[in-house]
Amino acid sequence: MNKFLLKVEGLRTYYDVEGGEVKAVDGVDFSLKKGESLGIVGESGCGKTTLGYSIINFVPPNGKIAKGRIQFDDMNISAMPEAELRKRIRWKKISMIFQEAMNCLNPFYTVGNQMIETLQIHAPEIKRDEAEELVRRSLKTMDLGTDVIDMYPHELSGGMKQRVVIAMGLMLDPEIVIADEPTSALDVIIQARILNMLKNLQRKLELSLILITHDLSIISEVADYVAVMYAGEFIEYGPLYEIYKCQSHPYTHLLFESIPKMMGKQSLRYIPGIPPNLKSPPYGCRFHPRCPYAIEKCKVKEPTRTKLTKNHYAKCHRIGEKLW
Ligand code: ATP
Ligand code: SF4
Ligand code: MG
């Protein structure tokens, strides 16, 4: 199937803050077909969560989609009235597993009650016995038994809590799931198990998955495409295997270099400096104050996207030079 399920064009999402605006998402474009997965990777504060919120049009009150268009299955959902979005799109077509959601489970409610309450909020038309069935079914999808229904969050391990949270996101059979750092609070073994489950589910249910993470090694487990985000922009985008084989942007290269390697004696590299303040990002290339390959031009001129292959581009003035 060649049709895009989701198409994001020229998206800019800004927050109003004292004395200005934080340009958290600043010109993002991508599209996703049914069953495809996109991994969005970048350091803390680069705008990953804001991008997720924007896709479901659920930006915090001091923020707004300032420009751009989000199309889901022929509908312009960025211009859709809130009531219609709630009724037709959020959770039913596109659900988001929020960052830190497992820590936000209510300690005073059983898992079953919280899941049913969530269903009642997002799909009030569903009757109680149907809701109970949906809860059982989605828990089973995440390999959780029905005994979990009567348990309280403190009775569950971290991995089980995270699976409950993912099950909640799947209850209404969405076509797209946005998972924001779904495994970052878990140890590596549990992390691998949950990623594996997500990947299997994605294949079985033909889900489109947007996985948001600061950890590049996680992306490689799940994604077909990778978007490397820096200071509100995608600075490199392409198929996972191409980016793995050949990183074209210095920041992507440094991200790869900073993955701990099990074998070999190379010392661990890190990215120098700190991410920029998005209220006043650097002029020219936003990465120039931290880039070991920066030249004068980088300080004054913003790079445009250079197309490397059909679906692969990067934003850097020095593409084509052998820098590393
Ligand atoms: P992390 O990896 O830490 O979760 P992130 O990539 O998800 O970071 P966002 O949470 O989207 O980044 O934040 C992007 C930028 O927007 C940051 O500079 C952040 O401080 C700012 N920001 C986020 N939420 C708000 C808000 N409600 N008001 C003002 N600024 C905000
Ligand atoms: Fe580095 Fe210049 Fe490329 Fe930016 S444009 S990533 S500063 S070399
Ligand atoms: Mg975030």
Side-chain angles (χ1 to χ4, degrees), residues 249-250 285 287-288 291 293-294 298 303 316-318:
H249 194 286
C285 169
F287 187 51
H288 86 254
C291 180
Y293 310 103
C298 308
C316 171
H317 289 305
R318 302 197 65 186

Side-chain angles (χ1 to χ4, degrees), residues 15-17 22-24 42-51 60 62-63 99 180-181 212 214 276-278:
Y15 293 108
D16 284 327
V17 290
V22 171
K23 296 182 173 173
E43 287 166 296
S44 183
C46 70
K48 304 179 297 294
T49 296
T50 306
L51 173 56
N62 67 324
Q99 190 170 4
D180 192 356
E181 303 279 5
I212 293 174
H214 63 278
N277 179 345
L278 299 188

Side-chain angles (χ1 to χ4, degrees), residues 23 48 106 137 147 176 220 293 322:
K23 296 182 173 173
K48 304 179 297 294
N106 189 326
R137 199 186 65 187
D147 51 332
I176 300 176
S220 63
Y293 310 103
K322 185 136 187 61

Side-chain angles (χ1 to χ4, degrees), residues 14-67:
Y14 301 162
Y15 293 108
D16 284 327
V17 290
E18 219 182 305
E21 274 178 331
V22 171
K23 296 182 173 173
V25 175
D26 206 14
V28 162
D29 302 86
F30 69 92
S31 45
L32 203 62
K33 291 180 188 162
K34 189 175 171 64
E36 275 181 351
S37 56
L38 168 69
I40 300 174
V41 64
E43 287 166 296
S44 183
C46 70
K48 304 179 297 294
T49 296
T50 306
L51 173 56
Y53 288 156
S54 307
I55 294 168
I56 55 168
N57 212 333
F58 196 61
V59 180
N62 67 324
K64 62 174 182 301
I65 295 182
K67 260 192 178 166

Side-chain angles (χ1 to χ4, degrees), residues 49-170:
T49 296
T50 306
L51 173 56
Y53 288 156
S54 307
I55 294 168
I56 55 168
N57 212 333
F58 196 61
V59 180
N62 67 324
K64 62 174 182 301
I65 295 182
K67 260 192 178 166
R69 180 186 159 94
I70 300 167
Q71 185 176 322
F72 169 80
D73 206 14
D74 294 336
M75 289 175 273
N76 178 2
I77 57 172
S78 44
M80 199 177 251
E82 171 62 23
E84 201 182 338
L85 258 176
R86 223 182 303 147
K87 196 164 161 212
R88 295 175 60 191
I89 306 291
R90 251 185 244 136
W91 284 74
K92 295 177 178 158
K93 298 291 182 192
I94 310 177
S95 74
M96 182 159 173
I97 299 158
F98 295 107
Q99 190 170 4
E100 313 278 349
M102 70 181 224
N103 300 324
C104 300
L105 290 169
N106 189 326
F108 303 109
Y109 284 92
T110 61
V111 166
N113 280 338
Q114 294 192 55
M115 292 180 81
I116 285 177
E117 195 181 17
T118 306
L119 273 176
Q120 280 166 345
I121 294 169
H122 297 286
E125 67 280 9
I126 292 179
K127 304 233 163 34
R128 176 87 194 187
D129 43 348
E130 194 192 338
E132 284 173 4
E133 182 49 34
L134 287 179
V135 167
R136 274 194 292 275
R137 199 186 65 187
S138 59
L139 285 172
K140 193 165 164 225
T141 312
M142 289 309 293
D143 261 357
L144 290 163
T146 43
D147 51 332
V148 169
I149 290 174
D150 296 318
M151 289 165 90
Y152 288 88
H154 74 267
E155 297 178 274
L156 308 176
S157 67
M160 286 167 88
K161 273 193 247 181
Q162 189 57 32
R163 280 189 278 153
V164 164
V165 165
I166 298 173
M168 280 183 176
L170 296 173

